[in-house]
């Protein structure tokens, strides 16, 4: 066990790498609520022909997008999971989170209109092709984990990294904290537990009883928290070398990683100074 870890109430790793107001125990974290992205034929009145699933969407967002693309009642795609016969790893226990691969999917397949089951199967089959190939599978084994654990780490990286360039460093923070027996304390996992897209993390939030509460629970969350893209997967199996334990985005384009808690506090103070309306204690 790593015994020199500052008290949990003083460590806040946030979504997109932002960490705010450590001393008061309040954090601001957020992400834009995405809407389904549908490509249209040249005739604006025609129905959409493809569905784009962006990197980092949660399964719930994918289900809603499929419902909208296929003009189905809300909740139809979620209800179809039981009969979709998705080829998921055993560790997933039937939950496709992390395996609805971000890509563009046709809404007509083999001259037939797509169904929720066919679209979800297409996404999962695509993920399996991407994840079970030699680079990802071998990379996971090299890091003493299975592919499902690699997807879980990649989903956190996708949620936390402010830029693609930061993904490898965020992955390294995850590995370093796991190796030292430190809780991950990622606000992105709280976002997932609370089913929020934009939230203010309070002390009460960090005390919720959830297996996705990485402030209270050790190790990785039980499932991925989003559907990661290829860049995040590469970062998860080949994290950037470094001893970092903390990171904060001081301002756009300036995310600072450090292993020194005092330095991290100084970075956080600079972040707070850059905020026009800093968060108040929760």
């Amino acid at each position: 066990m790593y015994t020199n870890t500052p008290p949990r109430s003083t460590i806040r790793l946030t979504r997109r790498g932002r960490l705010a107001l450590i001393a008061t125990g309040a954090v601001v974290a957020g992400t834009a609520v995405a809407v389904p992205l549908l490509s249209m034929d040249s005739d604006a009145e025609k129905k959409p022909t493809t569905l784009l699933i962006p990197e980092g969407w949660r399964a719930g967002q994918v289900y809603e997008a499929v419902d909208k693309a296929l003009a189905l009642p809300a909740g139809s795609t979620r209800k179809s999971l039981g009969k979709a016969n998705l080829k998921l790893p055993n560790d997933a226990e039937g939950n496709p989170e992390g395996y609805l691969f971000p890509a563009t999917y046709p809404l007509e397949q083999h001259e037939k209109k797509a169904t929720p089951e066919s679209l979800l199967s297409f996404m999962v089959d695509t993920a399996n092709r991407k994840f079970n190939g030699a680079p990802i599978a071998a990379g996971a084994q090299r890091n003493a984990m299975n592919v499902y654990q690699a997807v879980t780490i990649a989903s956190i990286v996708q949620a936390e990294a402010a830029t693609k360039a930061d993904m490898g460093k965020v992955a390294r923070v995850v590995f370093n904290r796991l190796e030292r027996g430190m809780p991950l304390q990622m606000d992105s996992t709280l976002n997932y537990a609370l089913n929020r897209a934009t939230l203010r993390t309070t002390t009460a939030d960090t005390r919720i009883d959830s297996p996705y509460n990485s402030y209270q629970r050790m190790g990785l969350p039980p499932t991925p928290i989003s559907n990661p893209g290829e860049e995040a997967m590469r970062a998860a199996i080949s994290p950037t070398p470094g001893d970092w334990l903390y990171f904060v985005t001081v301002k756009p384009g300036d995310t600072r990683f450090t292993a020194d808690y005092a330095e991290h506090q100084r970075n956080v103070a600079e972040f707070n100074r850059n905020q026009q309306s800093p968060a108040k204690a929760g």
Side-chain angles (χ1 to χ4, degrees), residues 9-69:
S9 63
T10 67
I11 304 175
R12 292 289 188 272
L13 286 176
T14 73
R15 192 181 188 284
R16 298 296 182 193
R18 292 180 172 84
L19 187 155
L21 298 176
I22 296 295
T24 59
V27 185
V28 176
T31 181
V33 177
V35 296
L37 303 177
L38 306 175
S39 68
M40 309 292 288
D41 283 340
S42 57
D43 184 344
E45 295 184 357
K46 289 185 178 180
K47 294 182 179 180
T49 58
T50 59
L51 171 63
L52 172 62
I53 303 301
E55 296 175 349
W57 267 17
R58 299 173 189 163
Q61 291 172 290
V62 176
Y63 303 152
E64 292 174 5
V66 173
D67 286 344
K68 183 174 181 179

Side-chain angles (χ1 to χ4, degrees), residues 12 25 190 194 201-209 213 216 282:
R12 292 289 188 272
L190 285 180
L194 295 168
T201 300
T202 66
T203 300
D205 291 333
T206 67
R207 293 172 179 164
I208 64 170
D209 183 15
N213 184 351
Q216 300 291 339

Side-chain angles (χ1 to χ4, degrees), residues 185-233:
Q185 296 186 311
M186 300 280 181
D187 284 356
S188 55
T189 66
L190 285 180
N191 278 338
Y192 191 80
L194 295 168
N195 193 28
R196 295 178 178 177
T198 301
L199 67 87
R200 175 186 296 270
T201 300
T202 66
T203 300
D205 291 333
T206 67
R207 293 172 179 164
I208 64 170
D209 183 15
S210 169
Y212 294 92
N213 184 351
S214 61
Y215 286 83
Q216 300 291 339
R217 306 293 180 97
M218 302 298 291
L220 293 173
T223 71
I225 61 170
S226 70
N227 293 282
E230 292 185 88
E231 293 280 353
M233 283 300 300

